[in-house]
Amino acid sequence: MAAGTMVSRATGLIRTTLQASALGTGLLASSYGIANTVPMSIYTLLVGGALNAVLVPQLVRARAEHADGGRAFEQRLVTLVLTVLAVGTALAVWAAPGIVAVFVPDTPKSHAAFELTVVFARFLLPQVFFYGLFFILGQVLNARSKFGAMMWTPVLNNIVLIAMFGLYMGLLAGPDRVQDITPAQINLLGIATTGGIALQGLALIPFVRAAGFRFRPRFDWRGHGLRKSIVAARWTLLFVLVNVVAMAVVSRFASAADQQLPDAGVGYAAYSYVQNIWNLPQSIVTVSLVTALLPRMSRAVTEGRLDDLRDDLSRALRVSGFLIVPAAFFFVALGPQTAQLLFGHGAVDATTVAPAGHMLQALGLGLIPFSGQYLLLRGFYAFEDTRTPFWMAVVVSAVNIALAAVCHLFLPTRWAVTGMAAAYALAYGVGMLATALLLRRRLAGRLDGRRLCRAYGKLTVTAAVAGALGWLVARACSGVAVPAGWTPVTALAAGGGTMALVYLGLARLLNIAEARSLPGLR
C-alpha cells in the first residue's frame, strides 16, 4: 500500500510541477484549479463522505453477519451509489454557473475569469461519477482486505495529466491572461483531465472481479439494511458540507487576492499547489495506515475489544508521527527552497514563486495536528459514530473561517493567503485537541495519553533541532556559486540531508521506540 501510494504521489508531484510550469501561479491557473476542485467537492457532498467514513464498517459487518457473505448488500449499495452519482453529475453539469459562483465571485472586474472557470467546470464535472466509481469499487476491495489496487490506479490518472501538460507546453503557446486562452487549449485541458479520472475508476473493475465481486444492478433498496447506512451518512454529509463551506470561503478570499495581483502568484493557484506538497506525507503515511486499520478497528468494536482499538490508534499515531513530525519541520525550515525547486519553472519565475514558499512554511507545523485528527476521527467511525466528527468539523471550520476573514481584511494582499495558510494549520490544532478529549471519553477515559505525549515530545524536540541545523546549512549553501537553477537543488540536498542525518541520529540517541517500527531502521 505504501509503495503504491508513494509511486502515486511521486507521479502526482511531477504532474503538479508540470501544471505550475504550464499554467503559472496567477489568475489563469486559479481558474483551472478551482474548476478542478469542484468535482471532488460535489462528489464528496453526494456520497463521498459516507463512502469513506460509514460504508466500510457497514460492508465489513455485512460480510460477517449476512448468510451470503454480504454480496447482495454490496450489489444494492453499489447500485444506489452509482444511481445517485449519475443523477448528481447530470444536475451538476447543468448547474455549473451557480456552483462556480460559490467559489469565485462574478463581478465586472472578474467576469472573464468567472466565465473561463464555468467553461472548465462543464468539462470537469463528469469526474463526479468517475470519482464515485473509483471509491465505491475501492471500498469493496478494502472490505475484502485488498488494498493495493486502490493505491496504484491513481498513477494512471497522473500519467495522463503529465502527458497532457507536457503536450500543452510543447505544442501550444501558453497564454498569459485568461482572455487569451484558446478553445483548443481549453479542450485539451478539459477532456484529458476528466479522461484521467475516468481511466482511474474503470481500471479497478478487473480487480474487483478478481476479488470475487460480481455487479448485478439491484434496486430493491427498502428493507435490507441500507437505511442504517443512509441515517449514519446524514451526519457525514453535514461534516462534508461544513468543510466545503470553509473551502468556498477561503477560495473566494484567495480569488480576491488573484484579482488584485493577477500575476504575483499570491492567490488560489499557489495555495493549491502548496497544499498538494504539504499533503504528501499525510497521503503516503497516514492514509495508508488508516486504510489498513479501519476494517480492523471496526471488527474490534463489533467484538467489544476496546483495548485493541485503543492500541491500534496509539500505535498508528506514534508510528505515523515518526515521519509526520520531521516532515512538518522540513516544510518550515526549507519551504522556500522546496517551492522554488518544484514550481520555479516555465511560466513561474523567482519573484512569483516566493509567496508559495512562504505559504508552505505557514502550513508546515499544521501537518502534525492535521494527521493526528485524521487518525483520531477514525476511532469514532469505527463506532459508526458520524455525529461527533461533524461537530469537530464545525469547530475546525469556524476557527478557519474566522481567522481567514481576519487575514483577508487586515493583511496586505501579498500576505493575505499566506496568513490563511497559517490559519488553516492553527484551526486543525484546535480541532485535534477537541477530538482527542472526546475520543478519550468514548474509550473509557483512556487514550494512552502519557505514552503519546512522551513520544511526540521526543519527536518534536528531535525534529526541531534537526530542522534548525538543516536551515542553517541550506542558508549557508545559498551563497555558494553554482550554475543557474541549481541553487535550490544544492540548498535542499544539503539542508535536507543534514536534517535526515541529525534526526535519525538523535532518534537513536534518545531511544525513540517508533524508529524500530520502520523498515531499515531497526
Side-chain angles (χ1 to χ4, degrees):
M1 285 174 54
T5 304
M6 288 179 68
V7 174
S8 173
R9 296 301 170 176
T11 52
L13 180 61
I14 297 171
R15 178 203 71 205
T16 302
T17 300
L18 286 175
Q19 181 178 340
S21 297
L23 303 180
T25 57
L27 188 57
L28 174 62
S30 294
S31 297
Y32 171 81
I34 290 173
N36 202 26
T37 62
V38 168
M40 178 55 83
S41 300
I42 299 299
Y43 153 74
T44 310
L45 277 172
L46 287 174
V47 297
L51 281 179
N52 293 333
V54 177
L55 299 185
V56 168
Q58 296 283 345
L59 288 172
V60 169
R61 187 183 296 273
R63 286 180 60 80
E65 297 178 355
H66 293 189
D68 65 349
R71 288 174 183 163
F73 182 85
E74 285 179 331
Q75 290 169 350
R76 293 185 187 98
L77 187 59
V78 172
T79 303
L80 175 62
V81 168
L82 294 183
T83 301
V84 170
L85 287 169
V87 174
T89 299
L91 292 175
V93 172
W94 172 74
I99 294 171
V100 169
V102 173
F103 297 87
V104 181
D106 183 14
T107 65
K109 185 178 179 180
S110 65
H111 186 67
F114 176 84
E115 286 294 318
L116 178 60
T117 308
V118 171
V119 173
F120 275 134
R122 290 197 189 278
F123 275 105
L124 303 181
L125 279 167
Q127 293 178 22
V128 172
F129 180 82
F130 294 107
Y131 273 128
L133 178 66
F134 172 74
F135 282 106
I136 185 61
L137 295 183
Q139 300 298 13
V140 169
L141 288 170
N142 289 347
R144 289 167 163 76
S145 297
K146 305 287 186 182
F147 304 112
M150 194 177 182
M151 301 300 173
W152 281 97
T153 46
V155 175
L156 298 174
N157 173 50
N158 290 333
I159 290 172
V160 170
L161 295 187
I162 287 169
M164 177 192 75
F165 287 120
L167 184 64
Y168 183 93
M169 289 189 292
L171 299 181
L172 303 172
D176 295 321
R177 304 183 307 157
V178 296
Q179 295 90 341
D180 298 330
I181 192 168
T182 67
Q185 290 166 330
I186 294 173
N187 291 341
L188 173 64
L189 293 171
I191 294 172
T193 302
T194 295
I197 299 298
L199 179 61
Q200 172 181 298
L202 294 171
L204 283 182
I205 293 176
F207 292 98
V208 295
R209 288 184 61 83
F213 175 74
R214 296 294 183 269
F215 176 61
R216 182 168 68 86
R218 299 189 64 147
F219 297 93
D220 53 334
W221 299 331
R222 296 177 63 88
H224 293 284
L226 288 176
R227 178 178 175 83
K228 182 178 180 181
S229 298
I230 295 170
V231 170
R234 174 184 58 191
W235 288 104
T236 304
L237 174 63
L238 293 173
F239 172 92
V240 172
L241 181 60
V242 168
N243 283 309
V244 169
V245 168
M247 185 181 75
V249 170
V250 172
S251 296
R252 290 179 74 90
F253 289 159
S255 296
D258 276 320
Q259 291 295 334
Q260 294 181 45
L261 297 173
D263 302 315
V266 299
Y268 180 85
Y271 187 41
S272 65
Y273 295 155
V274 162
Q275 278 206 317
N276 283 336
I277 303 307
W278 180 74
N279 265 314
L280 277 175
Q282 155 84 358
S283 302
I284 294 172
V285 179
T286 313
V287 173
S288 296
L289 281 171
V290 165
T291 304
L293 282 176
L294 186 55
R296 175 169 151 175
M297 291 192 297
S298 299
R299 285 192 291 270
V301 171
T302 301
E303 296 167 8
R305 296 181 284 108
L306 292 188
D307 286 341
D308 289 344
L309 173 61
R310 187 184 300 108
D311 289 344
D312 281 343
L313 279 172
S314 175
R315 178 174 170 77
L317 284 164
R318 288 180 283 108
V319 172
S320 64
F322 185 79
L323 298 174
I324 292 294
V325 173
F329 280 93
F330 175 87
F331 292 141
V332 173
L334 302 173
Q337 294 89 343
T338 302
Q340 188 178 354
L341 176 65
L342 295 177
F343 307 132
H345 314 283
V348 184
D349 57 29
T351 301
T352 54
V353 80
H358 296 140
M359 292 176 197
L360 189 53
Q361 286 181 305
L363 280 170
L365 294 183
L367 184 63
I368 301 170
F370 181 76
S371 174
Q373 199 211 28
Y374 184 88
L375 279 166
L376 291 172
L377 286 179
R378 270 61 200 170
F380 290 107
Y381 293 143
F383 283 102
E384 299 183 28
D385 174 5
T386 54
R387 181 174 180 174
T388 303
F390 160 71
W391 289 112
M392 293 302 94
V394 170
V395 171
V396 172
S397 296
V399 174
N400 189 24
I401 290 172
L403 294 178
V406 171
C407 295
H408 173 68
L409 294 172
F410 298 106
L411 289 180
T413 302
R414 162 64 180 83
W415 294 100
V417 180
T418 302
M420 293 178 206
Y424 188 82
L426 182 59
Y428 271 95
V430 174
M432 187 190 72
L433 179 61
T435 303
L437 292 174
L438 289 176
L439 184 58
R440 184 172 177 265
R441 292 183 186 176
R442 192 66 180 265
L443 294 175
R446 292 192 298 116
L447 192 59
D448 205 12
R450 291 183 180 178
R451 192 177 184 185
L452 287 170
C453 289
R454 185 166 58 249
Y456 271 81
K458 287 184 179 181
L459 293 174
T460 300
V461 170
T462 303
V465 172
L469 293 174
W471 177 81
L472 288 172
V473 171
R475 185 177 177 85
C477 289
S478 63
V480 176
V482 293
W486 282 89
T487 299
V489 177
T490 304
L492 275 177
T498 300
M499 274 196 70
L501 290 173
V502 172
Y503 180 73
L504 292 176
L506 288 176
R508 286 183 177 275
L509 183 64
L510 295 176
N511 196 29
I512 295 177
E514 288 67 36
R516 296 191 295 272
S517 301
L518 299 173
L521 296 178
R522 293 185 178 88

